[in-house]
């Protein structure tokens, strides 16, 4: 066990000094105790004016780091309870009093995002989407979307790398043009085969790849698109009321995934460009991707992991657009009963004919 000083930041309400959190519905910071609402600029002004007031300064807390299992424990400033987080956690909550703790060291230096998209969808929107999964799913387990699971839904700022890439090269295809005609009762088919080449250069902006190994890339990709026009300069205050992760995959190491996405999109575009051909099958290509720029940002996601029959099932919702996916299990007992019911109904219908 080793010890180090960790600075845990907490936003204070200018009116009552209680913890204040960002409200996605309002697009402002709202105090749950006195009901006051503030914009980010108003909070900044308050913090600047109060910078000489010791009680409003971020508190240096002693953090115990366990190097063996990678977990960190520290004391909540408000109630004194012990909060445990792992090495990737950048913002979390005290489970006893609900105060947000933003671990400044996890978001400093190279781990400081340049921009983020604030949450626009609140927890109620995520809950409604989660409950809606049961509609049209008669085989979903009865207790899958019960209150206990709903309470596990949490808003998380996911670390993402955004890549600007240039893709250049050629695509070689085998193309055919199939024509049909009839003479009398005889029908003829003619297939002409061609060697096709399409090429050029295409530029891609802001291809997102999540920078955390803890989140499945396929799931994060399914939540796209994000509206990147709403990216704003990063400020730790927006993390209040949410969880946050720092990246554990360097941008250079996951460039390959962004490159593959850009190259596949280019293949599809060039393939579709040969519109006059009946079939177009790519035989080879010389496409390559060049990185022009990359940016580290945080994007909002509501999610919950639910264990059922020793398997984790994931629900996730884009915290900006509301796009969601659900990995929903099937209750095997229900499936058997449902099959029997359909069989019985079919027999009754047939016997009545």
């Amino acid at each position: 066990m080793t010890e180090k000083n960790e600075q845990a930041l907490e936003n204070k309400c200018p009116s009552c000094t209680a913890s204040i959190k960002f409200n996605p519905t309002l697009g402002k910071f709202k105090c749950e105790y006195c009901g006051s609402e503030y914009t980010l600029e108003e909070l900044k002004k308050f913090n600047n004016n109060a910078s000489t007031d010791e009680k409003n300064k971020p508190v240096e807390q002693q953090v115990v780091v366990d190097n063996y299992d990678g977990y960190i424990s520290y004391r909540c400033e408000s109630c004194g309870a012990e909060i445990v987080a792992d090495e990737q956690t950048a913002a979390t909550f005290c489970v006893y009093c609900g105060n947000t703790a933003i671990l400044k060291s996890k978001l400093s230096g190279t781990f400081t995002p340049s921009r983020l998209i604030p949450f626009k969808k609140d927890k109620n929107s995520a809950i409604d989407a989660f409950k809606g999964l049961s509609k049209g799913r008669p085989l979903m387990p009865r207790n899958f979307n019960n209150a206990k699971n709903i309470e596990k839904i949490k808003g998380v700022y996911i670390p993402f790398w955004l890549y600007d890439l240039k893709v250049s090269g050629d695509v070689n295809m085998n193309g055919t043009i199939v024509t049909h005609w009839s003479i009398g009762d005889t029908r003829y088919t003619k297939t002409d085969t061609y060697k096709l080449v399409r090429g050029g250069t295409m530029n891609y902006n802001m291809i997102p790849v999540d920078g955390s190994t803890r989140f499945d890339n396929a799931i994060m990709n399914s939540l796209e698109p994000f509206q990147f026009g709403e990216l704003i300069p990063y400020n730790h205050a927006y993390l209040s009321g949410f969880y946050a992760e720092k990246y554990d995959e360097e941008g250079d190491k996951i460039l390959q995934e962004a490159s593959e996405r850009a190259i596949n999109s280019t293949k599809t575009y060039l393939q579709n460009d040969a519109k006059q051909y009946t079939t177009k099958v790519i035989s080879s290509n010389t496409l390559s991707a060049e990185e022009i720029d990359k940016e580290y940002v945080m994007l909002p996601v509501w999610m919950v992991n639910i264990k059922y029959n020793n398997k984790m099932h994931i629900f996730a919702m884009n915290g900006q657009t509301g796009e969601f996916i659900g990995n929903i299990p099937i209750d095997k007992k229900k499936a058997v009963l449902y099959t029997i019911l359909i069989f019985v109904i079919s027999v009754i219908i047939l016997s009545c004919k």
Side-chain angles (χ1 to χ4, degrees):
M1 300 282 287
T2 59
E3 293 186 356
K4 69 177 182 179
N5 287 325
E6 173 69 84
Q7 194 177 48
L9 304 178
E10 182 185 0
N11 293 314
K12 298 290 187 180
C13 173
S15 298
C16 69
T17 70
S19 177
I20 191 169
K21 299 176 182 179
F22 181 72
N23 186 300
T25 304
L26 297 174
K28 296 181 178 181
F29 296 84
K30 182 174 181 178
C31 178
E32 296 177 353
Y33 291 90
C34 69
S36 299
E37 299 175 9
Y38 298 93
T39 64
L40 178 62
E41 293 304 316
E42 289 170 337
L43 278 186
K44 284 182 178 180
K45 184 177 179 180
F46 167 73
N47 289 330
N48 289 336
N49 292 338
S51 61
T52 58
D53 186 347
E54 290 295 327
K55 71 177 182 179
N56 288 315
K57 286 184 178 180
V59 178
E60 292 278 356
Q61 300 183 66
Q62 192 74 7
V63 177
V64 180
V65 181
D66 186 338
N67 291 322
Y68 178 75
D69 59 16
Y71 282 88
I72 295 174
S73 65
Y74 58 94
R75 297 290 174 185
C76 174
E77 176 194 354
S78 298
C79 71
E82 183 180 27
I83 304 174
V84 178
D86 61 30
E87 286 287 356
Q88 302 310 123
T89 302
T92 186
F93 292 92
C94 173
V95 297
Y96 295 97
C97 68
N99 279 346
T100 302
I102 302 167
L103 305 183
K104 188 177 181 180
S105 70
K106 304 296 182 67
L107 298 168
S108 61
T110 58
F111 291 106
T112 305
S114 59
R115 295 188 289 175
L116 60 73
I117 294 178
F119 276 85
K120 294 185 70 175
K121 301 295 182 180
D122 60 13
K123 187 172 183 177
N124 288 332
S125 299
I127 290 173
D128 289 341
F130 183 66
K131 287 181 176 179
L133 291 174
S134 61
K135 297 179 180 179
R137 298 176 186 264
L139 303 183
M140 188 177 78
R142 184 188 302 269
N143 297 322
F144 189 76
N145 61 353
N146 61 20
K148 184 178 179 180
N149 288 335
I150 287 173
E151 283 304 312
K152 295 179 183 178
I153 295 176
K154 61 183 181 180
V156 185
Y157 279 102
I158 308 294
F160 272 82
W161 292 99
L162 303 181
Y163 295 90
D164 293 345
L165 303 177
K166 180 172 70 174
V167 177
S168 304
D170 298 324
V171 170
N172 300 303
M173 295 176 281
N174 296 319
T176 64
I177 295 179
V178 180
T179 53
H180 304 278
W181 71 94
S182 298
I183 299 177
D185 295 332
T186 305
R187 182 170 177 78
Y188 298 89
T189 298
K190 177 186 177 185
T191 302
D192 295 309
T193 303
Y194 302 87
K195 293 290 185 180
L196 310 176
V197 179
R198 293 290 188 274
T201 297
M202 296 187 68
N203 293 316
Y204 294 87
N205 296 323
M206 296 185 174
I207 299 176
V209 180
D210 79 86
S212 174
T213 56
R214 303 209 298 191
F215 301 100
D216 187 283
N217 288 346
I219 292 174
M220 293 298 107
N221 293 345
S222 298
L223 296 178
E224 295 178 24
F226 287 89
Q227 305 301 319
F228 293 123
E230 296 182 358
L231 279 165
I232 61 174
Y234 171 78
N235 188 294
H236 76 265
Y238 285 105
L239 305 187
S240 298
F242 302 97
Y243 293 85
E245 298 276 324
K246 71 173 186 176
Y247 70 80
D248 62 357
E249 291 189 294
E250 296 286 345
D252 294 339
K253 292 184 178 180
I254 56 175
L255 169 62
Q256 182 61 29
E257 182 174 344
S259 298
E260 288 177 359
R261 294 182 65 181
I263 288 173
N264 288 335
S265 294
T266 304
K267 287 180 182 178
T268 300
Y269 179 85
L270 294 177
Q271 197 172 25
N272 291 338
D273 183 63
K275 298 178 180 179
Q276 68 271 38
Y277 297 91
T278 307
T279 63
K280 298 152 288 187
V281 178
I282 295 177
S283 57
S284 64
N285 74 89
T286 62
L287 296 174
S288 63
E290 175 188 354
E291 179 185 319
I292 305 301
D293 196 13
K294 67 174 177 290
E295 181 181 9
Y296 172 44
V297 302
M298 283 186 167
L299 303 180
V301 175
W302 288 100
M303 65 188 311
V304 62
N305 297 324
I306 300 173
K307 191 173 185 179
Y308 179 77
N309 281 350
N310 296 318
K311 182 180 178 180
M312 295 304 298
H313 297 268
I314 299 172
F315 165 85
M317 187 179 88
N318 186 315
Q320 179 194 33
T321 66
E323 180 73 23
F324 73 91
I325 62 168
N327 180 8
I328 308 302
I330 293 176
D331 187 321
K332 293 182 179 180
K333 291 182 179 180
K334 278 189 176 183
V336 172
L337 293 174
Y338 196 70
T339 302
I340 294 173
L341 179 62
I342 292 177
F343 175 76
V344 171
I345 293 175
S346 300
V347 170
I348 294 173
I349 293 175
L350 290 172
S351 64
C352 292
K353 289 184 178 181

